[in-house]
Amino acid sequence: MARLLLLPMLAVTLPAEASEAPETCATAWVQCGGTGWTGPTCCDSGFSCSQMNSWYSHCVPKESIPEQTQPVSLAASEMVDDECYHMFSELSFNTLVQSFPANPDSEAKAYVDCKLCSRSGMQCTANVFGGRTQLVASHIHLASDGDGENGSGPPVINFCGDNGPGMIADGSSYKSPCAHYKNRAAVMSMTGNFVDGQNAGFTLGSRLKDIASNPSKYYFNFHSIASWTHWQVEGKGPVGMCRGVMQMSQRRLGSVLV
């Protein structure tokens, strides 16, 4: 007869899964990051991990971290005080002021477009046509009687011109010579130069502001060798070949057109 053997059951206790221990955070001023760092990457309450460089970060009080601000372009900050004015002038031979017998430039006309800035420079482009003799100077003049249409007065800003002996000199140089005619047209880009001797009591900024505020007092004038020779002999000074009142187009403060 077979016997049934009863074996006692053994209770087997399986080890519980190991739970992850909470990460220990770094305390004040202790390293919390950086290339190759294997230690804690968090900080105690009230502190933040601040990167000093790619190799080292440490815990600093949250209130000591400066708020990030948008970087300001140096060029933009420098332009804050740069007053710019966009102006133009339509020039023609003035029969009341500039006429003389057998004038070879009596059909001269021009268009001038200018951007006049107190700090970043004064630039004008011009297209002069219809004249026949070489251009020797150009300026913005202030009419002494306030009449830019027919009055006359000293140059306050020089543009193109001839710095040679015997030419029109006002104490300040011309930055570049005037262009020569090609097919009876002279197209050029000119840089302005403040005439110190004719701007007593004015800075460049205040003069440009006055031109923009009172454009009818000012006129742009081109001089030719024919007109300069004739009026020099007459003893009347540089009257000019063709001229036009300054007119306002746009005003720009800094980088904003208004």
Side-chain angles (χ1 to χ4, degrees):
M1 180 176 178
R3 293 182 179 181
L4 181 62
L5 295 177
L6 297 177
L7 298 175
M9 296 186 64
L10 299 176
V12 179
T13 303
L14 297 176
E17 290 187 7
S19 59
E20 292 186 1
E23 181 181 4
T24 301
C25 293
T27 57
W29 311 111
V30 173
Q31 185 172 359
C32 56
T35 302
W37 174 248
T38 58
T41 56
C42 61
C43 296
D44 285 346
S45 178
F47 294 85
S48 293
C49 190
S50 177
Q51 183 180 24
M52 305 302 293
N53 53 53
S54 61
W55 300 97
Y56 182 78
S57 299
H58 65 179
C59 294
V60 299
K62 288 182 177 179
E63 61 270 17
S64 70
I65 300 177
E67 183 179 352
Q68 295 295 319
T69 58
Q70 188 70 21
V72 177
S73 167
L74 179 61
S77 65
E78 289 177 345
M79 294 292 286
V80 170
D81 297 325
D82 192 22
E83 288 276 1
C84 294
Y85 307 92
H86 192 177
M87 307 190 73
F88 69 96
S89 181
E90 295 180 277
L91 291 70
S92 61
F93 172 69
N94 188 315
T95 56
L96 294 178
V97 180
Q98 298 173 319
S99 181
F100 61 88
N103 181 356
D105 300 311
S106 60
E107 297 180 4
K109 295 182 179 180
Y111 176 79
V112 179
D113 183 80
C114 298
K115 182 180 177 182
L116 308 175
C117 297
S118 60
R119 292 186 61 182
S120 55
M122 298 174 286
Q123 296 290 328
C124 292
T125 56
N127 184 3
V128 186
F129 52 94
R132 298 175 63 186
T133 67
Q134 177 59 35
L135 303 172
V136 295
S138 64
H139 321 85
I140 292 177
H141 293 254
L142 169 64
S144 300
D145 61 358
D147 179 10
E149 185 71 35
N150 296 306
S152 61
V156 292
I157 301 173
N158 287 350
F159 285 93
C160 71
D162 188 335
N163 292 307
M167 293 292 103
I168 301 172
D170 54 23
S172 294
S173 64
Y174 301 100
K175 296 292 187 180
S176 61
C178 299
H180 290 267
Y181 286 111
K182 292 182 179 179
N183 298 320
R184 296 196 69 183
V187 180
M188 67 200 85
S189 177
M190 308 174 290
T191 299
N193 192 22
F194 192 59
V195 182
D196 292 317
Q198 302 293 348
N199 282 288
F202 282 85
T203 63
L204 175 58
S206 61
R207 176 60 77 188
L208 294 182
K209 186 174 183 178
D210 191 60
I211 295 173
S213 301
N214 305 284
S216 62
K217 298 193 308 182
Y218 295 86
Y219 60 98
F220 203 102
N221 200 5
F222 268 99
H223 303 261
S224 68
I225 188 62
S227 67
W228 170 231
T229 301
H230 175 81
W231 296 114
Q232 189 178 29
V233 171
E234 292 288 318
K236 294 185 178 181
V239 174
M241 175 193 73
C242 64
R243 54 182 284 172
V245 176
M246 297 299 297
Q247 299 183 59
M248 198 67 186
S249 177
Q250 289 177 312
R251 175 176 179 268
R252 183 172 68 82
L253 175 60
S255 59
V256 180
L257 284 169
V258 294

